[in-house]
Amino acid sequence: MSTPEHLVFITGRMAKARLEKVAATLPAERFAWSIADAGVKVAALMTEEIIRRRVTIPEGATRIVLPGRCRANPEALSAHFGLPVERGPDEVVDLPAYLGLAGRNVDLSRHDLRIFSEIVDASKMTPEQILAKGLDLARRGADVIDLGGLPDTEFPHLEECVRLLKGAGLKVSVDSFSLDELTRGAKAGADFLLSLNEETLDLAFETDAVPVLVPMRPDDLPSLDRAIERMEKAGRPYMADPILEPIHFGFVESITRYHETRKRWPGIDMMMGTGNLTELTEADSLGVTALLVGMCSELSIRNVLIVQVSNHTRRTVEEHDAARRVMFAAKADTALPKGYGRQLLALHDKRPFVQTPEEIAAQAAEVRDPNYRIAVAEDGIHAFNRDVHTIGTDAMAFFPDLDVAADGAHAFYLGGELTKAETAWRLGKRYVQDEPLRWGVAADEEVEDTTAFKKAGHTKHSGPGGAERTTRDATPVEADAGKPELVESGEAKSSDTEATGDRGARIVCGKLVPAGES
């Protein structure tokens, strides 16, 4: 049997008891562990300097894990300790999954699905507008920019648009009912033509552009078969699209046609146009997209044509990009698409509440200052300081209990945080004070420097007498910091209600406040 890996978890005094509980559940045959308590109260306030001075790594350690919100630089600490140092999860409860105990290592860097993103009104846009739109779609995850022609609308600048997009390094397809527009687009250098049927298929032999084949009518699958047979005999590249139809207008039958086409032609390249479902169904598109991309994964359909027109599909490129990565990873693992991250979860979280009401109550009992902490558990929103611990589900109902009527800035801050907490509680999402709610791929996440403290919040800097704004990158004050402590696996001794008495630096309303300030 191999020797267990020896992990060292560096933390602060407030998190130590919870960390011990979780670490004690790690399988002994895989992990030995030590907890290095740096003696400071809040782990998120530890800096490289504090860790270097106050933490001693035990003999035999193989890897060091920092708290997810610790702003120290792992590379610098790795050079100091001579061991690999990494940033762990934000929440202690996620530690087992982070260590791979969920059964798999998640790799979402790969996929096998090509995204064609259609600019549906390209004929009404200027070449410059089309180029800007194409570059934006590519940034979001599109692989091919599809120029959509409109019936009875001339597209005189089609060739110019194709050349502009190609000049920018983009793949281009032309999507039109007009054989003339398809011909012009192909001559200008388009990579793909959408779409040809058995009556217009001759164009496929006059150009190097790869055609997408469709049936004469959605229910005429034999006509698609005949077009496929012709291309197969010629040995030329193509894709086949049996046409996805909207709900109540042939949706189920169209799904069976995709299945039937794959059975008849096991090795051919296929496409699915998902827009007829995402655009024409007034439902949150993320779940619809995940389902359709899952179908593509099962049927080995490696191309999708997407449309992003309606307001409720404004993130459809990002949604398809996230879904294709999850489905590829799950298929490679011969697994269900579960446990591959939170990108496909927008409204709800799989594990929304990271603390129990009892754990929050124990934390509240240790608070020795007047600054409010906010947490969310299954029973509601908790707001507490040294004098108050109140629980509710209506953000506005907290106001009478918080004694901030004379402090407009603080009241404003608490109102914002409590409203965010109420949203999280009602939807079943994770809430972290001073952090934005996470919406998966449905909204961009702020990119932040994980080695530097965040900028100070606004609520302590309002009004003409407000202090100058500063950054939270100074070394936190260590006044009254406790003695560093090392806890080994099998020797855990912290209780759930360990008193801290630390009145050093702390986070207040999103700001680092030195000891002695209220």
Side-chain angles (χ1 to χ4, degrees):
M1 180 179 296
S2 60
T3 303
E5 185 176 10
H6 187 159
L7 307 178
V8 178
F9 303 111
I10 300 179
T11 192
R13 288 173 20 200
M14 284 187 65
K16 186 175 69 172
R18 293 180 63 218
L19 180 55
E20 285 178 4
K21 276 187 174 183
V22 173
T25 68
L26 301 179
E29 66 276 10
R30 289 186 56 181
F31 300 108
W33 53 267
S34 303
I35 294 177
D37 174 2
V40 297
K41 185 174 183 180
V42 181
L45 299 184
M46 293 188 301
T47 63
E48 293 164 34
E49 177 61 23
I50 287 177
I51 293 172
R52 281 195 296 263
R53 284 193 292 103
R54 298 180 64 85
V55 171
T56 300
I57 302 302
E59 290 289 333
T62 57
R63 183 162 41 134
I64 301 170
V65 181
L66 303 175
R69 296 190 183 95
C70 175
R71 289 334 218 197
N73 186 330
E75 292 183 2
L77 290 174
S78 180
H80 173 75
F81 289 116
L83 289 173
V85 179
E86 60 201 63
R87 195 180 308 281
D90 286 352
E91 303 295 344
V92 173
V93 294
D94 295 327
L95 189 58
Y98 171 81
L99 294 174
L101 298 177
R104 65 175 68 94
N105 292 318
V106 176
D107 176 11
L108 299 181
S109 65
R110 300 180 297 157
H111 65 80
D112 62 354
L113 186 68
R114 183 164 43 193
I115 296 174
F116 288 66
S117 186
E118 182 179 2
I119 303 176
V120 296
D121 52 353
S123 58
K124 295 183 177 181
M125 300 169 65
T126 68
E128 293 74 22
Q129 289 173 329
I130 288 172
L131 177 60
K133 181 71 171 178
L135 291 171
D136 180 61
L137 292 171
R139 176 186 64 80
R140 295 170 181 268
D143 302 295
V144 181
I145 307 305
D146 184 63
L147 298 177
L150 297 172
D152 303 320
T153 303
E154 297 205 1
F155 199 164
H157 50 300
L158 171 60
E159 290 90 342
E160 181 182 359
C161 293
V162 171
R163 287 191 286 267
L164 268 177
L165 292 169
K166 294 286 292 181
L170 302 174
K171 294 285 187 181
V172 182
S173 61
V174 175
D175 189 350
S176 176
F177 292 112
S178 167
L179 192 59
D180 175 65
E181 287 183 349
L182 291 175
T183 303
R184 289 167 51 209
K187 289 181 178 179
D191 301 282
F192 306 93
L193 299 178
L194 283 71
S195 303
L196 301 180
N197 56 43
E198 64 175 340
E199 291 186 354
T200 59
L201 192 54
D202 286 346
L203 179 58
F205 297 88
E206 301 171 7
T207 174
D208 292 331
V210 176
V212 176
L213 311 183
V214 296
M216 294 293 295
R217 300 183 315 275
D219 62 348
D220 186 6
L221 204 54
S223 69
L224 179 60
D225 286 333
R226 291 190 292 269
I228 292 172
E229 287 172 354
R230 186 176 173 191
M231 296 300 288
E232 285 288 315
K233 288 179 181 178
R236 296 181 66 92
Y238 67 93
M239 301 177 210
D241 185 355
I243 306 298
L244 186 71
E245 295 189 276
I247 293 172
H248 296 151
F249 290 87
F251 168 63
V252 174
E253 286 297 321
S254 67
I255 289 295
T256 64
R257 288 195 292 270
Y258 280 93
H259 183 238
E260 184 62 28
T261 299
R262 177 51 76 206
K263 285 175 61 179
R264 295 184 193 183
W265 305 97
I268 68 170
D269 207 1
M270 292 179 66
M271 170 180 277
M272 177 184 287
T274 60
N276 274 348
L277 214 64
T278 57
E279 285 284 327
L280 303 180
T281 306
E282 287 193 1
D284 290 329
S285 58
L286 182 53
V288 176
T289 295
L291 179 64
L292 293 176
V293 174
M295 291 181 181
C296 289
S297 182
E298 280 205 8
L299 294 173
S300 296
I301 296 172
R302 296 190 174 90
N303 303 274
V304 288
L305 174 64
I306 70 172
V307 183
Q308 186 166 292
V309 176
S310 301
N311 285 330
H312 77 283
T313 64
R314 67 183 66 192
R315 300 280 294 186
T316 194
V317 179
E318 291 91 340
E319 291 170 4
H320 280 79
D321 181 47
R324 65 180 172 177
R325 297 171 188 277
V326 169
M327 298 305 168
F328 182 89
K331 188 174 184 177
D333 291 339
T334 318
L336 297 170
K338 297 181 65 176
Y340 289 90
R342 300 164 64 179
Q343 290 301 293
L344 299 182
L345 293 172
L347 291 181
H348 316 293
D349 276 326
K350 186 175 179 180
R351 193 170 185 179
F353 308 121
V354 298
Q355 288 179 281
T356 65
E358 293 75 19
E359 287 172 333
I360 295 174
Q363 179 183 350
E366 299 174 2
V367 173
R368 300 292 183 267
D369 60 65
N371 303 294
Y372 283 102
R373 282 76 165 170
I374 301 171
V376 174
E378 197 162 358
D379 63 339
I381 307 157
H382 294 242
F384 56 92
N385 65 6
R386 68 185 178 193
D387 304 312
V388 174
H389 182 182
T390 181
I391 306 169
T393 58
D394 179 352
M396 296 298 103
F398 281 85
F399 184 74
D401 296 326
L402 300 183
D403 191 26
V404 290
D407 187 348
H410 202 184
F412 183 89
Y413 164 80
L414 289 174
E417 281 297 316
L418 288 166
T419 299
K420 186 174 67 177
E422 179 183 342
T423 299
W425 181 79
R426 292 191 182 281
L427 290 177
K429 296 183 67 62
R430 283 197 179 183
Y431 167 83
V432 179
Q433 190 171 356
D434 294 323
E435 298 289 340
L437 296 181
R438 297 177 62 183
W439 301 98
V441 76
D444 287 333
E445 291 192 7
E446 180 182 350
V447 178
E448 58 180 328
D449 181 359
T450 57
T451 67
F453 288 103
K454 293 185 178 180
K455 294 206 182 247
H458 297 280
T459 61
K460 292 295 183 181
H461 302 277
S462 56
E468 291 292 327
R469 292 194 62 191
T470 59
T471 57
R472 297 195 329 200
D473 56 3
T475 302
V477 178
E478 297 176 66
D480 295 330
K483 180 181 178 182
E485 182 179 359
L486 185 70
V487 178
E488 303 283 357
S489 52
E491 300 177 3
K493 55 187 177 183
S494 292
S495 67
D496 292 343
T497 58
E498 178 185 20
T500 62
D502 187 348
R503 293 186 296 276
R506 57 192 181 277
I507 295 177
V508 180
C509 303
K511 176 191 173 189
L512 178 64
V513 178
E517 290 190 19
S518 60

